[in-house]
Amino acid sequence: MLIYLKKFREQISTGKTSQSRRRSLSLLPAAALLLVSSMTNAYSAPKTLLVLGDSLSAEYGLARGTGWVALLEQRLKAQKNDTRIINASISGETTSGGRARLPALLAKHKPDVVLIELGANDGLRGLPVAAAEANLRAMGDAARKSGAQVVLVGMRMPPNYGRDYADQFYGVYGKLAREWKAPLVPFMFEGIADQPQLFQADRMHPNAQAHPTILKNIWPQLSPLLGAK
């Protein structure tokens, strides 16, 4: 745009442009300002993040404001980042439940980023890996079709579920992330899975002390999509 303006100013100064083109040129500065303004607004507009998860994101057994989603919101506010966070996580949620709920959530909130933290309850119930994969794929595809970027959060099953099942289950997350070229948090419990003192009495749900580490695991994959540092 600036090169275009410079060229026409040179033509005017040498008398090499027509009257009609001179009139058109007079409108260009305003058009340029509008273009720059719209580009700036598009870049700086606050993002909307939709978190679709289960009890691990729904603050199960925790005081409100101590789960990783709440900690994320606090961290963003400290950076003066106005990302709007919709935590649509429900304790006990499975991939089939998330798949059923997602279309309405996308239509209502129109998120820029969708973080999918689901699958743990499927695995703990021994549900077929193929079904969980199909549900996760449907959710990711729906989010991407809506124009949102997807972040996938991986989960591993305890060894007592059998090596083959655990490997197949965990492999789904990497497979889908590669398919979508989407950010993947390899393992939500990295750094806490082998620390019993960081879990509640049920030994399944992390306590409040563990959630800063969970956020630390998720932050590198999520923050660039929110314009955070």
Side-chain angles (χ1 to χ4, degrees), residues 103-158:
L105 291 169
L106 292 174
K108 179 178 180 180
H109 300 293
K110 297 177 173 53
D112 301 286
V113 181
V114 175
L115 183 142
I116 302 174
E117 180 275 295
L118 286 172
N121 289 313
D122 297 61
L124 292 174
R125 297 174 189 180
L127 299 178
V129 173
E133 179 178 342
N135 290 330
L136 288 169
R137 177 178 282 106
M139 284 185 275
D141 287 347
R144 292 165 69 235
K145 186 176 180 181
S146 76
Q149 294 176 285
V150 174
V151 177
L152 194 57
V153 179
M155 179 55 68
R156 293 182 183 274
M157 286 296 101

Side-chain angles (χ1 to χ4, degrees), residues 56 62 66-68 71 188-193 195-200 204-217:
L56 301 176
L62 304 177
T66 59
W68 77 264
L71 297 178
M188 189 179 190
F189 285 0
E190 188 67 41
I192 69 169
Q195 304 292 322
Q197 72 276 14
L198 295 179
F199 284 81
Q200 299 178 41
M204 294 174 57
H205 293 92
N207 60 29
Q209 290 178 298
H211 277 259
T213 300
I214 292 175
L215 176 58
K216 181 180 177 181
N217 294 334

Side-chain angles (χ1 to χ4, degrees), residues 26 40 54 59-60 63-64 83 102 106 108 146 173 206 210 217 228:
S26 68
T40 301
D54 49 36
E59 294 190 327
Y60 175 86
R64 288 292 168 258
T83 295
L102 183 57
L106 292 174
K108 179 178 180 180
S146 76
Y173 296 99
N217 294 334

Side-chain angles (χ1 to χ4, degrees), residues 171-188:
V172 165
Y173 296 99
K175 177 182 178 181
L176 291 176
R178 289 190 297 272
E179 185 177 305
W180 299 330
K181 295 181 173 56
L184 170 68
V185 178
F187 184 33
M188 189 179 190

